[in-house]
Structure formats: C-alpha cells, structure tokens
Amino acid sequence: MLKKLTQEQLNGILETAISLFGDRGVERVSVAEIAKQSGVSVGVIYKYYASKQELFEACLEHSLQKLDDEIEASVHDLEVGASAGRLLQAGFDVCREHPAYMRMYHQITGFGDVELQKKYAELIESRSAKRYTEIIRRAQASGIVRQDIDASMLAYFMDNLLMMMHFSAGCPYYEERYRVFCGGDSILDDTRIREAFVRFVEGALRAP
Amino acid sequence: MLKKLTQEQLNGILETAISLFGDRGVERVSVAEIAKQSGVSVGVIYKYYASKQELFEACLEHSLQKLDDEIEASVHDLEVGASAGRLLQAGFDVCREHPAYMRMYHQITGFGDVELQKKYAELIESRSAKRYTEIIRRAQASGIVRQDIDASMLAYFMDNLLMMMHFSAGCPYYEERYRVFCGGDSILDDTRIREAFVRFVEGALRAP
Amino acid sequence: MLKKLTQEQLNGILETAISLFGDRGVERVSVAEIAKQSGVSVGVIYKYYASKQELFEACLEHSLQKLDDEIEASVHDLEVGASAGRLLQAGFDVCREHPAYMRMYHQITGFGDVELQKKYAELIESRSAKRYTEIIRRAQASGIVRQDIDASMLAYFMDNLLMMMHFSAGCPYYEERYRVFCGGDSILDDTRIREAFVRFVEGALRAP
Amino acid sequence: MLKKLTQEQLNGILETAISLFGDRGVERVSVAEIAKQSGVSVGVIYKYYASKQELFEACLEHSLQKLDDEIEASVHDLEVGASAGRLLQAGFDVCREHPAYMRMYHQITGFGDVELQKKYAELIESRSAKRYTEIIRRAQASGIVRQDIDASMLAYFMDNLLMMMHFSAGCPYYEERYRVFCGGDSILDDTRIREAFVRFVEGALRAP
DNA sequence: GATGAATGAGAGTTCATTCAT
DNA sequence: TATGAATGAACTCTCATTCAT
C-alpha cells in the first residue's frame, strides 16, 4: 500500500501504540510490533515520529488530553460530595471505553527517566491541583467544607483518593488490589463503592 | 577466588539491584552494571538467580518484606486516627532510610507482565486488606467508626490514602505531584501534612 | 506540476549532487537530500537516473568532462616547461570555480566497486596518457627533453605531479597536506609554488 | 567458542577489517561481515572497539604505523637519488605483502568526514614533511641539491611523486592508471620504472 | 565455586526505491 | 509527467545469558 496514510491509519498507530505501551511499558514494546499490529511499515512511523520516545510521548499526551477532557466536563458546582461522585464517574467512563488511556497515565509514574516524570507531573498535576484547590477554597468560604485543613491539602487528599479509584478501574495491579480488598466485581460494575466513596469523602470534608 | 559468596556480598547484590531497579526500572538496568557496582562477577549472579527477572523478583520480595516489617510494628490498637498517623509515619521512616524499597513496591504496579502484577497484588494486598479490615471492623463494633460503610471499603479507602502518601515520600512522580499540590517541602519534612492527614482520616471515619 | 523538467532543473540536480557527493562521498548523501536541495521530487530523479549509482556516475562524467575541457584548452605547444605551467594553472582555475569537479575525480580513486574504478581509469587516463606521451615524444624528437627515459614514463611522472597539485587545490586531505609541507596559504593563492613547480619539472625533463 | 580471544584472533579482526575496508571503504562494509569473516561474534568486536568508526580508525592507525615503520627504516643518507630509490622500494615491499595497508592510507584521502581527514593529514604528513625537508635541506647545504627551490617545496614534490608511485602499487585505480600510461606489467614487477624514477628525481633535484 | 569474555538474537533507525495520485 | 509518502531490508549497537578457565 503506497497510499498516503489515512487519518484512520494514523489514529490506528496511536491507538495500537497506546494499547501496547499501556499494557507492557515502552521498553517491552518494539516499534516493529506496533507497525505490524497497526498494518503499516516501520518506516512510516518514523515519518510521523522522530523516535520511539517521541511516539511514546505523543501517546502519553493523547491519553492525557482525553482524560482531561472528560474530567473537565465533570466539574461544575460547589457541592463537593456530588462533585467527587461525578469526577469518579467521569474517570470510570473513560476506563470503560479506553482503559489504555488510564494505563498510559499510570506509565508516567513509573518511567525510567526521572526528568520526564517531573516534567509530566508538573504538566498534569498542576492543572488538577489548581482546579480542585479552587473548588475546595470556595466551598470553605461558603462554609460547606471544613476550614481547619488547608484547601491545597484537602485537594491533595481528594485527588489521591480519586486517582487510586481510577487506577483501580484501568490498571491491572490496582484492579486486582481492589478485588482483594472489596471482593469479586470489577470496580466499574460495583455501584456500592461509588456511594461509599461519596459518603467517605463527605465525612472527610465536613466540619468536625 | 574460589570462596563462596559471603552473606554480606549476597546482600550487597540485592541492595545494589534494588537501588538501581528502583531508580530506573528493570529494563534500564543491566546485569553487568549490578555486578560491577556490587563488586561481584556477572556469572555469580546467575548462580544465585536463574535470570534477571528472578533477581528482580527477589529484590521485590526483599523490599516488600522490609516494608511489611515496619508496617506490622506500627499497628497496635483500635484508635484508628492514631493508627493512621503511626502507619503514615512508619512508611515515612522507611522512605527516609530506604526510598528504594518503596520504589520497588511501586515498580510492581507498572510491570510489563500482568500475571506477575496479579500474583503480587494478591500476595501483598491481601495481608494489608485483612489487617486493616480487621481493625476497622473492631472499631465499628466498638462504635468508634461509622457503620454505614462496609469495613472492607473503609479499609480500602484508608489504604489508598496511605499508599499515595507513601509513594509521595519515595517515588519521584508522586514527590513532584505532592509539591505541585502542597508547595515546596518534601512530604517527609512537612509536619503539617501529617496532622492534616490524621484529621482528614478521622473525619472520614467518624459516624456522620 | 506536470511539466517536464527544464534543462536548468536537470543541471541543477547534477550540480547539487556533484557538490554533495564531492563533499561527503556517495554513501553519505541521500537521494532525498539531493532532491530537496535541487528543488525537485525524489521520484523525478529516478525518472532520469535508474539508480543512485547511475546518478553518481552521471555526476562523475559531467565533472570529468568539464575537467577535460579545461585541460584540453591548455595544451598547445612543445615547450614542456611552459606547458606544465599552463596545465597546472588550468586545473587551478577549475578548482577555484568548481572544486567539486576535482573532488568528484578524486572520488573515483576510492570507489567501493573496483570494476568501476578500472573502467574509469581506462576512460580518463588513457586520454591524458596519450596526450602527454605524444607531447613528450615530440619534445624528445626535437631534443628539448631527455631521451634516456621512455616518453610514456615521463608522461606518467609528469601527470603524477600535476594530479597531486590539482588534488591539493580541491580535495581537503591534500589541501591540508600541502599546508603541512609548505606552510600557511592555500595552494591556489601561492604564486611561489607555481614557479617552483615549473622549475622542478624543467629540471626533471631536460637532458642530464 | 567462549574462550578469550587470542592475540591471533584479535589480529585477525584487524587484518580482516583492514582488508575489507581497504577494498570497499568504511561505508560498504558491515560489522557483521567483518565478524563473520574473522570468525568471531559481532558483540566481541564492540568489546574491543567502541564503535565501527573506532574500529576503522584503529585499522587506519595500524596500517599507517606499518607503513611508517618501513619508510623509517629506509631513510639513511644524503644521497637523495639513492634515497628516493630506497623509499620507493620500501613502499613497494609493503604493497607486495600488505596492499591493504596502502589502501587504508588512501582511504583517508576520501573520507566523508573532512575534520577526520584534516586530523590525519596533520598526523601523517607532518612526519614525512619534516623528514624529507630535513634531508633535502642538508643536501642543499652540501651542494648536492639545487638551492633555487625551497627545501619544503622540493620535499613536497618528491613526496607527491613517491605517493603516486605507492598508490599505483596498491590501489586499484592507480594500478590501472599506471598500466594505461606505461603498459602491461604491475608497477611492482617493473624494474624499468624504478630506474626511470630515480633518474627523473635526480634530474629534478640537481642544480640547473 | 567464581569469573568475565564471548555470544548472537533482537532492538531502534535509515534510506534507496516504488507507485498511487 | 511529477510527486513524495510508504515500504522494508539492512544497518549499527546492546545486553541477557553461557561456559571455558
């Protein structure tokens, strides 16, 4: 096939790569495998991405963008309990459609290259930090949320809780971990856990 | 030199490997480097470990054992708030001495081999799950902890919170993430975060 | 753009290729680079030249033709000393305008493919051999040049001397070599060397 | 074979590489081919040479050293004509045993990398320049050699002549070129050319 | 039993060549 | 007819593993 790559094929490379990278990590996936599985030649991948590393980062950014889009759409009001529930659900929705996006996010946390880890931590987390801290701050101002803990710390704890829930919905280790703690179902199909999560968060945030 | 490796040398291999694997991941550390840095030959490593993979798993188990020893020593009573504080501190202590142990723990979550992930999730997490669930259950029985959420779920949320705090004390991505949310210091040197953590947990666990 | 390549474009390809090949050798110049730098597509180069190798040979022949034209114009009379000076100058003139032509000539001497080397040696050198031997022979007949050495050998020595001077005017290794032997200036800007050369040749050719 | 490489094998790699590089140039010889032909693995070549380039340079230096050793042994007295004959012969001798050494020398003159060319030009030629210029200078002082041409220029012309003769004894293009000028035999087996060369040089050097 | 040099499969990457447009 | 994206063989180099010493 010497036709120009269609947009579909281009997407195919990305999705294939995300799927493989997400499953096994950068180091254990070869460019040849990505090429074969997405039905293109090795060479053409290097036309679009200067190196395997660059392809990997493109996959990362694609995934993070998708993740962020979903999250963004789910933050509306000051009712932090409800907000938490919606944010939880938003991540779950992505994981149901594209668990690999979540796995890509998780990949960053275990990179071999520490500088890259820091770069992406800064990039990704500062957005969430700002977003959540702001919500909490306003909720504190209106008296809905406890004021004896700094907004940024509350945001941090909140995001920690959410992050773990989301990893549990897409990353094998955490999926298994969830099962070990809470029993048989996938976290995605367990309605009890969501309610419990919202209650837990509300308890943690309300004034003592 | 036809002497058998001393216990010290054997430990040296393990510690060196843990340090290197923890920093850069299995794939980016060569057996030759481990051998050189621990002052033994490549060959002898293969006498004790059948493959690089097996050495890595030995490192994993060594690290997890150490981690678990510390944690074990910190769980005594039913006062869950205080317990949480002590558990938090126990992890911080290990991280100060041997951040690589914590990093090794984190490595498992991003393994290339999913089956291995599951094996270790089962191995490691079922112990924590049992431990924490039991504590919570007793605390519920004595009315200290809310009863409207299942003990196993409370344990799960609790452990999620702890896990993230500990990763933030030893794993670069999470260290940076903590800084992004809460500002300059390392989590290890920040006393405010511990108090806040205990308060947050107490709020989350007390009856509504 | 469905127009046939203009003669100008065709020449552009050749000149670009000669310049690049002359600088870096066949192996270190890609067809894509030639195409880009001469403002045509890769495909069209393959319309005019069946392979990179063939393009290279075309460059070779173009260069050799140009070189030969200059030399041809400089051989008139029997006064061998003066002739030598004029031939020297002719090569210098080309080198000043198109050092790449000289470099292409030098390229042949280091080809990977020995058969091709021989083919071109035959092609190029038999012309010079004939030309110079003839001049010398006539000069011997008229007693200007020594008769105790065979005309073809004298021609050979003469051409050796000229060849080295010309390479020193266009090929980096020999340029540097000249500087090492004779000091700072480029051979092209050194008038002393020309006089010396003519004297040296005259000494070598006159009867003992 | 897992035995340590013998000195013989080590030499074998070098000689094989010199032979292949000399014939076809760096770019057209693969490390795999060198390994196969010298009966070792690819890996072991990289144990001894950090890169293909480095192996090539080692080959270069080995060849140049051998060449220089022979030349060195042939320069004794002030009788420049005889000296020239001996130097000529020295090169011929090497070419008979190891034509590849001479071809390696010639390789440098056509390198892709100009900086390397210059480095080696400096390295190699400054030695010859010094050597020959000194001989000539002394011969001028004692009146044997003409004084109307600078010693360094005479040395340069002399070395030019020698270089071409030597290339004609080992490098295919120049071998062929010699045949075109002077007829059938190899320059190595032609006794007339040596006499002629000595006479030519004597004529060129004697006072006018 | 310990050594560490040798092995060679397999990785990332390039680029001469093709051919649908 | 000219284009230039796609192809894939072939390259350089790495490193887990072996085994003669």
Side-chain angles (χ1 to χ4, degrees):
Chain A
M1 256 173 275
L2 295 191
K3 289 191 202 168
K4 194 173 176 181
L5 247 49
T6 59
Q7 190 55 43
E8 209 175 345
Q9 278 177 302
L10 234 28
N11 261 321
I13 294 172
L14 220 49
E15 293 297 340
T16 305
I18 287 171
S19 166
L20 290 169
F21 284 148
D23 281 1
R24 310 210 300 266
V26 216
E27 326 272 3
R28 306 187 32 150
V29 177
S30 74
V31 175
E33 190 178 0
I34 296 169
K36 191 166 197 181
Q37 209 170 112
S38 41
V40 301
S41 69
V42 179
V44 86
I45 292 186
Y46 282 87
K47 268 275 187 342
Y48 289 88
Y49 305 99
S51 64
K52 189 190 180 188
Q53 181 64 24
E54 203 166 276
L55 168 60
F56 180 73
E57 294 193 36
C59 289
L60 219 45
E61 271 152 35
H62 183 87
S63 303
L64 295 171
Q65 189 57 53
K66 293 283 187 173
L67 246 26
D68 198 67
D69 289 350
E70 297 292 327
I71 302 301
E72 181 66 31
S74 305
V75 190
H76 299 297
D77 54 34
L78 298 180
E79 229 196 294
V80 283
S83 255
R86 267 211 305 281
L87 287 165
L88 183 68
Q89 189 57 47
F92 282 1
D93 290 345
V94 190
C95 285
R96 212 184 292 275
E97 292 297 311
H98 304 285
Y101 292 160
M102 192 61 77
R103 285 203 274 271
M104 283 304 290
Y105 177 20
H106 183 254
Q107 291 279 340
I108 322 169
T109 68
F111 254 2
D113 181 336
V114 172
E115 285 319 303
L116 222 55
Q117 281 191 31
K118 289 193 180 163
K119 173 186 152 190
Y120 280 104
E122 178 71 32
L123 196 73
I124 302 160
E125 305 295 345
S126 64
R127 184 176 302 186
S128 326
K130 201 165 289 176
R131 189 146 59 200
Y132 297 155
T133 305
E134 190 48 39
I135 294 175
I136 303 265
R137 215 185 299 280
R138 272 184 276 159
Q140 286 179 320
S142 58
I144 303 169
V145 160
R146 67 197 300 169
Q147 289 157 354
D148 63 332
I149 301 180
D150 201 81
S152 66
M153 290 186 185
L154 286 176
Y156 175 61
F157 297 143
M158 278 289 304
D159 197 40
N160 282 354
L161 282 167
L162 274 168
M163 198 167 179
M164 290 301 275
M165 297 296 280
H166 289 150
F167 284 167
S168 301
C171 306
Y173 183 89
Y174 293 102
E175 278 172 352
E176 189 64 20
R177 181 171 179 275
Y178 168 75
R179 233 165 282 150
V180 167
F181 270 91
C182 300
D185 274 1
S186 156
I187 203 172
L188 287 172
D189 302 323
D190 184 346
T191 51
R192 297 173 315 138
I193 194 80
R194 300 180 207 188
E195 288 170 41
F197 180 79
V198 171
R199 271 193 232 138
F200 185 86
V201 167
E202 280 173 342
L205 294 180
R206 77 171 169 253
Chain B
M1 291 162 227
L2 297 190
K3 285 155 69 181
K4 203 170 173 179
L5 245 48
T6 62
Q7 189 56 42
E8 207 176 345
Q9 278 178 304
L10 238 24
N11 255 320
I13 295 171
L14 225 44
E15 292 297 342
T16 305
I18 286 171
S19 166
L20 290 170
F21 285 148
D23 280 3
R24 312 208 300 264
V26 214
E27 326 278 355
R28 309 192 21 159
V29 177
S30 73
V31 175
E33 190 177 3
I34 296 168
K36 190 166 198 182
Q37 212 172 106
S38 44
V40 301
S41 69
V42 176
V44 86
I45 292 185
Y46 278 87
K47 275 285 191 302
Y48 288 86
Y49 305 99
S51 66
K52 189 189 181 187
Q53 180 64 25
E54 205 165 274
L55 167 60
F56 180 74
E57 293 189 38
C59 291
L60 220 45
E61 271 154 35
H62 183 87
S63 304
L64 295 171
Q65 188 58 53
K66 293 283 189 172
L67 244 26
D68 199 67
D69 290 351
E70 298 290 327
I71 301 300
E72 182 65 31
S74 306
V75 190
H76 299 297
D77 55 33
L78 297 181
E79 228 196 293
V80 284
S83 255
R86 266 210 307 282
L87 286 165
L88 183 67
Q89 190 57 46
F92 281 2
D93 289 346
V94 190
C95 284
R96 213 185 291 273
E97 292 297 311
H98 303 286
Y101 292 159
M102 191 61 77
R103 286 204 272 270
M104 284 303 290
Y105 177 22
H106 183 255
Q107 293 275 343
I108 325 169
T109 70
F111 252 4
D113 182 334
V114 171
E115 285 319 303
L116 224 54
Q117 281 191 31
K118 288 192 180 163
K119 172 186 151 190
Y120 280 103
E122 177 71 33
L123 194 74
I124 303 159
E125 305 296 345
S126 64
R127 184 177 301 187
S128 327
K130 202 165 289 175
R131 189 148 57 203
Y132 298 153
T133 305
E134 190 47 41
I135 296 175
I136 303 266
R137 213 185 302 282
R138 271 185 276 157
Q140 285 180 322
S142 59
I144 303 168
V145 161
R146 67 197 301 171
Q147 289 157 353
D148 62 333
I149 302 181
D150 201 80
S152 65
M153 290 186 185
L154 286 177
Y156 175 62
F157 296 142
M158 279 289 304
D159 197 40
N160 282 354
L161 282 168
L162 274 168
M163 197 167 180
M164 291 301 276
M165 297 296 281
H166 289 149
F167 284 167
S168 301
C171 305
Y173 184 88
Y174 294 103
E175 281 173 349
E176 188 65 19
R177 181 172 178 273
Y178 168 74
R179 233 165 287 157
V180 168
F181 269 91
C182 301
D185 273 0
S186 156
I187 204 173
L188 287 172
D189 302 323
D190 184 347
T191 51
R192 297 173 316 136
I193 194 81
R194 299 179 207 189
E195 287 171 42
F197 179 78
V198 171
R199 270 192 231 141
F200 185 85
V201 168
E202 281 173 342
L205 293 181
R206 77 169 171 253
Chain C
M1 291 161 226
L2 298 189
K3 284 152 73 180
K4 204 171 171 177
L5 245 48
T6 62
Q7 189 55 41
E8 207 175 346
Q9 278 177 304
L10 238 24
N11 256 319
I13 295 172
L14 226 43
E15 292 297 342
T16 305
I18 286 171
S19 166
L20 291 170
F21 285 148
D23 280 3
R24 309 208 301 265
V26 214
E27 326 279 355
R28 307 190 24 156
V29 177
S30 73
V31 176
E33 190 178 0
I34 296 168
K36 190 167 198 181
Q37 212 171 107
S38 44
V40 302
S41 70
V42 177
V44 86
I45 292 184
Y46 279 86
K47 275 285 191 303
Y48 288 85
Y49 305 99
S51 65
K52 188 188 181 187
Q53 181 65 24
E54 205 164 275
L55 167 60
F56 181 75
E57 294 190 38
C59 291
L60 220 44
E61 271 154 35
H62 183 86
S63 303
L64 295 171
Q65 190 55 54
K66 293 283 189 172
L67 244 26
D68 199 67
D69 290 352
E70 297 291 327
I71 302 301
E72 182 65 32
S74 305
V75 190
H76 300 297
D77 54 34
L78 298 181
E79 228 195 295
V80 283
S83 253
R86 266 212 307 282
L87 286 164
L88 183 66
Q89 190 57 48
F92 282 1
D93 290 345
V94 189
C95 285
R96 214 184 290 275
E97 292 296 311
H98 303 286
Y101 291 159
M102 192 60 77
R103 287 203 272 269
M104 283 304 290
Y105 177 21
H106 183 255
Q107 293 275 341
I108 324 169
T109 70
F111 250 4
D113 182 334
V114 171
E115 286 319 303
L116 223 53
Q117 281 191 32
K118 289 192 179 163
K119 173 186 150 189
Y120 279 104
E122 178 72 32
L123 193 74
I124 302 160
E125 305 295 345
S126 64
R127 185 177 302 187
S128 327
K130 201 164 291 175
R131 188 147 57 202
Y132 297 153
T133 306
E134 191 47 40
I135 296 175
I136 304 267
R137 214 185 300 280
R138 271 185 276 159
Q140 284 179 322
S142 58
I144 305 170
V145 161
R146 67 197 301 170
Q147 288 157 355
D148 63 333
I149 301 180
D150 200 82
S152 64
M153 291 185 185
L154 286 177
Y156 175 62
F157 297 143
M158 280 288 304
D159 198 38
N160 283 353
L161 282 167
L162 274 168
M163 198 167 180
M164 290 302 275
M165 298 296 281
H166 288 150
F167 284 168
S168 301
C171 305
Y173 184 89
Y174 294 101
E175 280 173 348
E176 189 65 18
R177 181 172 179 273
Y178 168 75
R179 233 165 283 149
V180 168
F181 269 91
C182 300
D185 272 2
S186 158
I187 204 173
L188 287 172
D189 302 325
D190 184 347
T191 52
R192 297 172 316 137
I193 194 80
R194 299 180 208 189
E195 287 171 42
F197 179 78
V198 171
R199 273 194 230 138
F200 186 85
V201 167
E202 281 172 342
L205 294 180
R206 74 170 171 255
Chain D
M1 257 172 276
L2 295 192
K3 289 191 202 170
K4 194 172 174 180
L5 247 49
T6 59
Q7 190 55 43
E8 209 175 344
Q9 279 177 302
L10 234 27
N11 261 321
I13 294 172
L14 219 49
E15 292 297 342
T16 305
I18 287 171
S19 167
L20 290 170
F21 284 149
D23 281 2
R24 310 209 301 266
V26 215
E27 328 271 4
R28 304 186 32 149
V29 177
S30 74
V31 175
E33 191 178 0
I34 296 169
K36 192 166 197 181
Q37 208 171 112
S38 40
V40 301
S41 69
V42 177
V44 85
I45 292 185
Y46 282 90
K47 267 273 189 340
Y48 289 88
Y49 304 99
S51 65
K52 188 191 180 186
Q53 180 64 25
E54 204 166 277
L55 167 60
F56 181 75
E57 294 193 37
C59 290
L60 219 44
E61 271 152 37
H62 183 87
S63 303
L64 295 171
Q65 189 57 53
K66 293 284 188 172
L67 245 26
D68 198 67
D69 290 351
E70 299 291 326
I71 301 302
E72 181 66 31
S74 306
V75 189
H76 300 297
D77 54 34
L78 298 180
E79 227 194 295
V80 284
S83 256
R86 266 211 307 282
L87 287 164
L88 184 67
Q89 189 57 48
F92 281 1
D93 290 344
V94 189
C95 285
R96 211 184 292 274
E97 293 297 311
H98 304 285
Y101 292 160
M102 192 59 78
R103 285 204 272 271
M104 283 304 289
Y105 177 23
H106 182 254
Q107 289 282 338
I108 323 169
T109 69
F111 253 2
D113 182 336
V114 172
E115 285 319 302
L116 222 55
Q117 281 191 31
K118 289 194 179 162
K119 173 186 152 188
Y120 280 104
E122 178 72 33
L123 195 74
I124 302 160
E125 305 296 344
S126 64
R127 185 176 302 187
S128 327
K130 202 165 290 176
R131 189 147 57 201
Y132 298 153
T133 304
E134 190 48 39
I135 296 175
I136 304 264
R137 212 186 301 280
R138 271 184 277 158
Q140 285 179 322
S142 58
I144 304 169
V145 160
R146 67 197 300 172
Q147 288 157 353
D148 63 332
I149 301 180
D150 202 81
S152 64
M153 288 185 186
L154 286 176
Y156 174 62
F157 296 143
M158 279 288 304
D159 198 40
N160 283 353
L161 282 166
L162 274 168
M163 198 167 180
M164 290 301 274
M165 298 296 280
H166 288 150
F167 284 167
S168 302
C171 305
Y173 183 88
Y174 293 102
E175 280 172 351
E176 189 63 21
R177 180 172 178 274
Y178 169 75
R179 234 164 290 163
V180 167
F181 269 92
C182 300
D185 272 1
S186 156
I187 204 172
L188 286 173
D189 303 323
D190 184 346
T191 52
R192 296 173 315 137
I193 194 79
R194 300 178 208 191
E195 288 171 43
F197 179 78
V198 171
R199 271 193 232 139
F200 186 85
V201 168
E202 280 172 341
L205 294 179
R206 75 169 173 256

